[in-house]
């Protein structure tokens, strides 16, 4: 903001002889031609004749003068190119470029303006040039029409949208040029009623063009011009205030000291400033009404975004004039825009306003009307919009806490658990500002207190209360991550958290409940993990980023602080909560983030001993798997050979394992004694000890305790007796699995003897046999455990084990035999492909609620994935996948992604074998149908239709590249044909083979055959056919007819199924819209479904369809695609094709005559309806000319309901900055041509083409725009006048 200079007491006007400046700051026209003699007295473009125009500037308007060449100044071409090129490069100082143009304007303003006009034309990407002759004799609308004709139609790119380094800074340089131009001209030239009128008129006309490049570029220029004028108006306002203050001060002096001359000068100065301000207001009003009110609802999102961005700048820059409801309404309306880019600009514009608390009073009404919309935008489907909406609400909250209700805040609170981190972080900041940033006055006296008495104590409690009330207890890590950036000091106050857990509450303070203590421990663990790992939780980040030096230092400092505090406090916390499994499980994870060196350097060995004693006690007290695994991981973290505490921890761990192993062996002997029935206490003791050993064996190598023998004995006894408790078998299987894996790891990492390999091989194969036995166990949980472990073992000990140069492990390779493969497959079919209601194995008598259903489905998906992994890595035969693939449609929602991925991987391994597996799955389904319904089934039955649909889905998985799948598809057809003719009919050759209907399924794959391969498959088919078969036409032979015809059809058919519905029996049909025949062969699309009647339409087809003239490609901005015609209205409807019988081809002359008559009828309809159309359009225009709310769509992730009556309570008349325009000034309507004139949509030249002669003539280049051309091509064959009128009106209204 530039403050106006003080007017000195000896103020005098500059004389013409004084210093001449290159810029417009003190611009003087020496000849006096451009001086303001009064408002509106200078001739203006469009008002003066050619003779008057020729007199302006040097050169006298003589085209053949010394400084002219072909109507241009000799330097004009160079200067013009230099102006565009300099802005394009963006390297030179823009002020010097503008100063050069001002010098040119002083010399000859017409030539300078011509340069500027061509500059805008070139910036739009148009290669046309406005000549001096055009500038003198043509109006802006004529010039724009001429430039439109010369626009490059081959490409839709223009400077503002072009990519590449040379265009990277073009937009910023272009905007800078306009701003500097107005700034340098702000004291004189912009008031000469010539330059600004010409530029505004040009930009307004271009902004109404249907050529997108013109409209986009001119709208950006006009909005930046408006922004520069707003800055000028602000400076004028400041200068007027200063002048008025000086005038009042001078007038209030006593008469003796009052300077009357100075008073007169100040009055004159104020009058001039007022006149200048009126001029600026008129200019701004012309731009606002001529450009903004139309373009803020433009069809192009970039243009709408420009308008909203700039109006936000105006309101922020000059709030006294622009920050009112007449302008804010546009931002409020546009928050409903369909495009996220525009909604984003609305929010950023509002953020600039709400950030300034001085403006809050002017935003009260807007906030009350549009607050609900802003709150709903926090759920926007565009994450960037949602983030900015939350930030805007944070600013609203800071300005006035009473504005947002509790419900509004709750809508933002739950977003702290969002998977998208920027949204969660913004919501965390909002939550912190609302609940944690306020301090009570009495807290000021205890700022230096620590622990439970620190000011953070109440805030930590508030965080715990919020976490519990949100009822998302498993997501504490996400809550912590959301608040990590804004509440770091609070979240890192571990001393306070520790005090709240260990210290007794103060007098009058309520102690934490058990549930609150559990929540606090979980939050504390998450904060420690976040500080130690320095990356967000799973799902919130794309990967671990490289830490900066500062972040690494902070990480080390935090780990040191954590270790020093909890090395002492953790044993006390474990002792206090030792019986609580949930609390202990979380607390035991803390040592994973310790800096173990501090135990030695800080002389904390006694606290380490205390920690080890507490862990040992916890192991003895608990049998919960989570607690035991947490203890095992803690020992693993502490047993680090790099630190001196390793020996101390290793001794404690060995002593614990020794005791557990001895106890397990002793208990097992008693448990397995012959002749004695084990009681429940003995079983519980064995199970609890086995659980502890299994949990430790997961993270520690317990090979020296030789646990394989005792577990094998236990499992073998269970197989022999069949009465082993379920949980004992499950953990014994798991423990044995760990034994084998640890032995394999030891052999792989170090050199091993042949005896070690043989021993491991023997143990592994014996264990596989045991697991295979347990696959037939009566208990489902045991079978699932055996199946999972067996799949893992087969995968690990497959041929993949030798990869990476490990050939010495070849003796360990184990390939399952056919019986094992069969049992694994049977398990999948029996336990995975079942209905949800049939799965009563959620165990432990849990209610079959939604959560348990999801858990059960997750378990079944894991089982299926384990088996599919064996198929993908060729551990089992690929043909076993047939039983999996055939379930693709039936269980698509549950397992579709897994089965589809398995298909893809198997095809990559062996395309032919994969194809044979697919056809095998279809054959199995066909045989199952035959067994259920017999051979005389109905081909319209749901079962058969389902098999055909599955075949269609299989065909789609082969993709569009037929060359890659050529051999596989051919082999698929070969197997299918052999299967169809495999079972001859016992009644003789006059009856179809029993599996002949399978050809109807096989025809779904015909579209995937190349043309030459179709012939080959057809020849192969004929080998199975007899002469009598080829003559049969009964319904039972329709599958053969269908398949034959699909092989004989041309390459244009992407599916070849025949409907047997033509017959009396009928079958299911998938109808597809008929497509006109083209001369080119189209590759079938992957997602198109098979049409069952296309063969009849293509057989011996010689029909010709009317040829439509190809629509030229224009760089244009038609606002809506032409209305899609109903099938009966398309040109195919003129010549309907009957699939039931063959139709004789039409004579070409008859077609031409019919097309000509159709064209004549269309032309007559156009002439007859043109008048009514104009009235209809203008009626629509009159409605849309006012500032009405644009039609919007709901773009929210969850709709909160539509906002009702947006206009209520607001002054929504269009803003008028205007004082009445000068009577000599050109009418402002000339700056805003009628955008809604029907002629702008349908050019008169087209009417002449339609009615002037009988033949249809293609308009010459430049006689049409894209809107008129597409309007014609959309309705030229329609006979319904109402449809035509409705289409044109709807298309025109959408242009608004």
């Amino acid at each position: 903001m530039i403050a106006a200079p003080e007017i000195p007491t000896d103020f005098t006007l500059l004389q013409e002889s004084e210093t001449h400046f290159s810029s417009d700051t003190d611009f003087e026209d020496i000849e006096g031609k451009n001086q303001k003699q009064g408002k509106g007295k200078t001739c203006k473009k469009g008002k003066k004749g050619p003779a008057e125009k020729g007199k302006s500037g040097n050169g006298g308007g003589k085209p053949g003068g010394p400084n002219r060449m072909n109507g241009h100044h000799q330097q004009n071409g160079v200067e013009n190119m230099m102006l565009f090129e300099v802005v394009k490069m963006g390297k030179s100082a823009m002020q010097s470029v503008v100063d050069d143009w001002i010098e040119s304007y002083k010399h000859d303003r017409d030539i300078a303006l011509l340069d500027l006009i061509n500059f805008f034309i070139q910036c739009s990407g148009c290669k046309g040039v406005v000549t001096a002759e055009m500038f003198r004799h043509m109006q802006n609308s004529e010039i724009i029409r001429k430039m439109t004709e010369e626009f490059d139609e081959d490409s839709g790119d223009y400077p503002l949208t072009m990519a590449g380094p040379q265009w990277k800074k073009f937009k910023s340089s272009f905007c800078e040029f306009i701003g500097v131009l107005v700034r340098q001209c702000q004291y004189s030239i912009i008031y000469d009623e010539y330059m600004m009128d010409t530029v505004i008129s040009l930009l307004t006309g271009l902004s109404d063009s249907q050529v997108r490049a013109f409209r986009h570029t001119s709208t950006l220029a006009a909005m930046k011009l408006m922004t520069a004028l707003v800055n000028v108006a602000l400076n004028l306002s400041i200068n007027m205030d200063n002048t008025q203050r000086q005038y009042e001060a001078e007038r209030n002096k006593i008469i003796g000291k009052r300077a009357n001359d100075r008073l007169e000068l100040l009055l004159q100065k104020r009058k001039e400033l007022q006149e200048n301000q009126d001029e600026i207001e008129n200019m701004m009003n012309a731009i606002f009404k001529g450009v903004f009110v139309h373009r803020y609802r433009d069809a192009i999102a970039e243009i709408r975004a420009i308008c909203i961005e700039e109006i936000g700048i105006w309101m922020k820059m000059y709030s006294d004039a622009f920050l009112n409801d007449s302008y804010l309404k546009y931002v409020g309306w546009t928050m409903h825009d369909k495009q996220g880019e525009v909604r984003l600009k609305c929010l950023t514009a509002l953020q600039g306003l709400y950030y300034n608390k001085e403006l809050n009073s002017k935003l009260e009404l807007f906030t009350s009307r549009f607050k609900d919309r802003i709150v709903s935008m926090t759920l926007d489907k565009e994450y960037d919009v949602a983030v900015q909406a939350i930030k805007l609400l944070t600013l609203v909250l800071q300005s006035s806490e009473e504005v947002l209700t509790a419900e509004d805040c709750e809508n933002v609170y739950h977003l702290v658990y969002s998977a998208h981190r920027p949204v969660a972080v913004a919501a965390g900041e909002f939550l912190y500002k609302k609940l944690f940033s306020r301090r009570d006055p009495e807290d000021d006296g205890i700022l230096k207190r620590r622990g439970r008495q620190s000011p953070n104590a109440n805030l930590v409690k508030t965080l715990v209360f919020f976490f519990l009330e949100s009822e998302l207890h498993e997501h504490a890590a996400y809550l912590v991550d959301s608040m990590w950036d804004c509440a770091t000091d609070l979240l890192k106050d571990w001393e306070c958290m520790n005090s709240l857990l260990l210290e007794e509450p103060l007098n009058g303070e309520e102690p934490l409940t058990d549930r609150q203590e559990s929540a606090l421990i979980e939050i504390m663990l998450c904060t420690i993990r976040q500080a130690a790992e320095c990356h967000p939780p799973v799902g919130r980040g794309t990967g671990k980023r490289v830490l900066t030096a500062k972040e690494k230092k902070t990480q080390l400092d935090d780990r040191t602080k954590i270790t020093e505090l909890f090395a002492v406090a953790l044993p006390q916390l474990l002792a206090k909560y030792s019986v609580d499994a949930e609390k202990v499980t979380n607390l035991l994870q803390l040592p994973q983030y310790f800096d173990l060196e501090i135990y030695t350097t800080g002389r904390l060995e006694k606290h380490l001993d205390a920690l080890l004693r507490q862990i040992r006690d916890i192991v003895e007290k608990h049998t919960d798997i989570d607690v035991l695994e947490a203890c095992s991981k803690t020992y693993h973290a502490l047993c680090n050979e790099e630190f001196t505490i390793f020996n101390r921890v290793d001794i404690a761990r060995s002593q614990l394992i020794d005791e557990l192993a001895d106890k397990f062996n002793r208990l097992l002997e008693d448990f397995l004694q012959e002749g004695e029935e084990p009681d429940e206490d003995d079983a519980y003791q064995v199970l609890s000890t086995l659980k502890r050993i299994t949990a430790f064996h997961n993270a520690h190598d317990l090979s020296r305790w030789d646990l394989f023998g005792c577990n094998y004995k236990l499992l073998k006894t269970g197989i022999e007796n069949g009465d082993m408790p379920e949980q004992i078998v499950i953990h014994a299987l798991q423990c044995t699995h760990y034994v084998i894996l640890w032995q394999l790891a030891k052999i792989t990492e170090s050199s091993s003897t042949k005896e070690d390999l043989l021993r491991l091989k023997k143990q592994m194969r014996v264990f596989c046999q045991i697991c295979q036995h347990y696959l037939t166990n009566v208990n489902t949980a045991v079978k699932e455990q055996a199946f999972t472990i067996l799949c893992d073992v087969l995968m690990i000990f497959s041929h993949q084990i030798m990869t990476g140069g490990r050939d010495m492990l070849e003796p360990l390779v184990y390939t399952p035999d056919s019986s094992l493969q069969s049992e694994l497959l049977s398990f999948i079919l029996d336990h995975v492909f079942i209905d949800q209601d049939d799965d009563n194995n959620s165990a432990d008598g849990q209610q079959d609620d939604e959560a348990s259903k999801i858990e059960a489905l997750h378990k079944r998906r894991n089982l299926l994935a384990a088996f599919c992994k064996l198929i993908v890595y060729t551990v089992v035969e690929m043909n076993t996948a047939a039983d999996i693939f055939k379930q693709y449609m039936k269980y698509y929602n549950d397992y579709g992604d897994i089965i589809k991925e398995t298909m893809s991987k198997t095809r990559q391994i062996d395309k032919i074998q994969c194809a044979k597996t697919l056809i095998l799955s279809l054959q199995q389904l066909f045989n199952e149908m035959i067994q259920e319904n017999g051979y005389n089934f109905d081909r319209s039955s749901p079962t058969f239709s389902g098999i055909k649909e599955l075949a269609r889905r299989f065909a789609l998985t082969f993709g569009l590249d037929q060359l890659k799948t050529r051999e596989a598809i051919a082999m698929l057809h070969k197997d299918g044909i052999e299967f169809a003719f495999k079972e001859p009919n016992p009644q003789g050759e006059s009856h179809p083979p029993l599996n002949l209907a399978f050809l109807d399924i096989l025809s779904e794959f015909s579209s995937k055959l190349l043309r030459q391969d179709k012939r080959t498959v057809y020849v192969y088919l004929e080998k199975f056919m007899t002469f009598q078969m080829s003559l049969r036409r009964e319904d039972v032979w329709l599958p053969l007819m269908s398949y034959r015809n699909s092989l004989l059809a041309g390459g244009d058919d992407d599916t070849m199924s025949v409907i047997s519905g033509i017959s009396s029996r009928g079958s299911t049909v998938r109808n597809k819209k008929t497509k006109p025949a083209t001369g080119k062969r189209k590759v079938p699309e992957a997602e198109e479904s098979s049409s069952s009647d296309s063969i009849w339409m293509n057989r011996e087809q010689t029909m010709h369809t009317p040829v439509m003239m190809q629509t030229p490609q224009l760089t244009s901005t038609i606002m809506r695609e032409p209305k899609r015609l109903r099938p009966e209205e398309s040109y195919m409807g003129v010549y309907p094709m009957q699939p039931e019988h063959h139709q004789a081809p039409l004579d070409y002359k008859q077609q031409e005559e019919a097309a000509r008559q159709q064209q004549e009828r269309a032309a007559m309809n156009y002439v007859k309806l043109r008048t009514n159309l104009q009235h209809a359009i203008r009626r629509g225009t009159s409605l849309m000319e006012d500032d009405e709310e644009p039609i919007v769509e709901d773009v929210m992730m969850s709709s909160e309901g539509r906002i009702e009556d947006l206009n209520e309570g607001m002054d929504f008349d269009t803003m008028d900055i205007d004082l009445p325009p000068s009577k000599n000034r050109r009418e402002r309507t000339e700056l805003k041509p009628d955008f809604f004139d029907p002629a702008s949509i349908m050019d008169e030249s087209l009417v002449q083409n339609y009615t002037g002669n009988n033949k249809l003539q293609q308009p010459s280049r430049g006689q049409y725009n894209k809107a008129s051309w597409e309007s014609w091509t959309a309705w030229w064959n329609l006979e319904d006048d109402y449809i035509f009128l409705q289409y044109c009106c709807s298309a025109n209204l959408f242009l608004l």
Side-chain angles (χ1 to χ4, degrees), residues 221-351:
M223 293 298 98
K224 291 299 180 181
L225 184 64
M226 178 77 168
T227 301
L229 291 175
V230 169
N231 190 43
V232 173
L234 179 61
N235 291 336
L236 287 173
S237 176
I238 295 173
N239 288 336
M240 285 184 63
D241 292 341
N242 291 339
T243 304
Q244 182 65 26
R245 187 173 61 254
Q246 292 175 8
Y247 175 79
E248 294 293 339
E250 189 67 27
R251 192 181 64 175
N252 291 334
K253 292 181 181 179
I254 58 176
I255 298 178
K257 295 184 179 181
R258 184 185 304 166
N260 293 329
D261 294 341
R262 177 172 172 80
L263 286 176
E264 292 179 2
L265 289 174
L266 291 173
L267 284 174
Q268 180 66 24
K269 179 63 174 177
R270 187 177 64 180
K271 181 180 179 181
E272 291 178 0
L273 291 173
Q274 184 63 50
E275 291 177 354
N276 291 345
Q277 191 172 40
D278 293 343
E279 285 289 315
I280 296 298
E281 288 175 349
N282 288 336
M283 297 175 197
M284 293 191 297
N285 190 54
I287 297 175
F288 188 82
K289 290 188 173 181
V291 180
F292 180 88
V293 295
H294 299 293
R295 299 282 68 79
Y296 90 96
R297 53 190 178 192
D298 193 277
I300 305 303
E302 293 92 332
I303 298 177
R304 301 197 299 271
I306 289 171
C307 295
I308 296 303
E309 181 180 13
E310 295 304 314
I311 197 175
I313 295 175
W314 307 338
M315 290 186 290
K316 183 179 180 181
M317 182 188 300
Y318 197 179
S319 58
D320 292 339
F322 289 92
L323 189 55
N324 54 62
D325 299 330
S326 296
Y327 290 98
L328 284 168
K329 65 180 181 181
Y330 296 108
V331 181
W333 288 341
T334 315
M335 285 194 295
H336 295 268
D337 195 274
K338 295 182 293 184
Q339 297 297 323
E341 174 188 359
V342 184
R343 301 194 299 273
L344 186 64
K345 293 296 183 183
C346 294
L347 295 173
T348 52
L350 291 173
Q351 286 176 13

Side-chain angles (χ1 to χ4, degrees), residues 1161-1215:
R1161 286 195 299 270
M1164 293 300 295
N1165 289 336
Y1166 175 81
V1167 174
K1168 181 175 64 176
L1169 295 176
R1170 180 170 175 79
T1171 304
N1172 294 335
L1173 176 61
Q1174 291 178 353
H1175 289 306
I1177 293 174
R1178 291 197 180 278
R1179 282 196 298 273
T1181 300
S1182 63
L1183 293 174
M1184 296 299 288
E1185 279 298 317
D1186 297 332
D1187 292 337
E1188 72 169 9
E1189 177 192 354
I1191 299 174
V1192 296
E1193 294 182 2
D1194 185 17
V1195 292
M1196 309 310 297
M1197 292 183 288
S1198 61
S1199 175
E1200 298 292 336
R1202 300 192 60 83
I1203 297 181
E1204 300 177 355
D1205 192 13
L1206 296 176
N1207 301 336
E1208 180 182 353
M1210 300 189 72
D1211 179 16
F1212 281 173
D1213 293 334
T1214 303
M1215 188 285 300

Side-chain angles (χ1 to χ4, degrees), residues 558-685:
D558 289 339
R559 291 190 65 183
T560 301
K561 180 180 177 182
I562 292 168
T563 307
E564 290 176 348
L565 174 63
F566 286 101
V568 178
L570 183 57
Q572 302 174 31
L573 291 170
L574 292 174
K576 181 176 181 179
Y577 301 110
S578 60
V579 295
D580 192 317
E582 180 184 2
K583 295 185 180 70
V584 167
T585 302
N586 288 326
L587 289 172
L588 285 172
Q589 297 180 47
L590 297 184
Q592 300 176 30
Y593 311 106
F594 284 0
D595 181 2
L596 299 181
E597 188 67 27
I598 295 179
Y599 272 114
T600 303
T601 58
R603 299 183 179 277
L604 301 176
E605 289 86 353
K606 63 177 182 179
H607 297 289
L608 176 61
D609 294 336
L611 174 62
L612 295 175
R613 285 195 301 271
Q614 291 297 330
I615 295 176
R616 182 189 181 96
D617 292 341
I618 291 171
V619 171
E620 294 175 354
K621 290 180 181 178
H622 290 272
T623 58
D624 185 85
I625 295 296
D626 293 335
V627 176
L628 295 176
E629 288 185 352
C631 294
S632 176
K633 291 179 181 179
T634 302
Y635 273 114
H636 184 267
L638 295 175
C639 286
N640 193 328
E641 297 180 1
E642 298 179 0
F643 302 100
T644 55
I645 64 172
F646 169 74
N647 290 332
R648 189 186 298 262
V649 179
D650 184 50
I651 292 173
R653 179 186 61 178
S654 299
Q655 291 176 350
L656 176 62
I657 301 299
D658 282 338
E659 293 181 6
L660 291 175
D662 292 342
K663 182 178 180 181
F664 179 65
N665 290 325
R666 187 174 63 256
L667 291 171
L668 193 60
E669 289 180 3
D670 298 337
F671 185 71
L672 298 179
Q673 282 183 356
E674 296 182 4
E676 294 186 11
E677 181 130 348
D679 57 10
E680 294 183 359
D681 291 339
D682 293 338
Y684 175 78
Q685 291 293 330

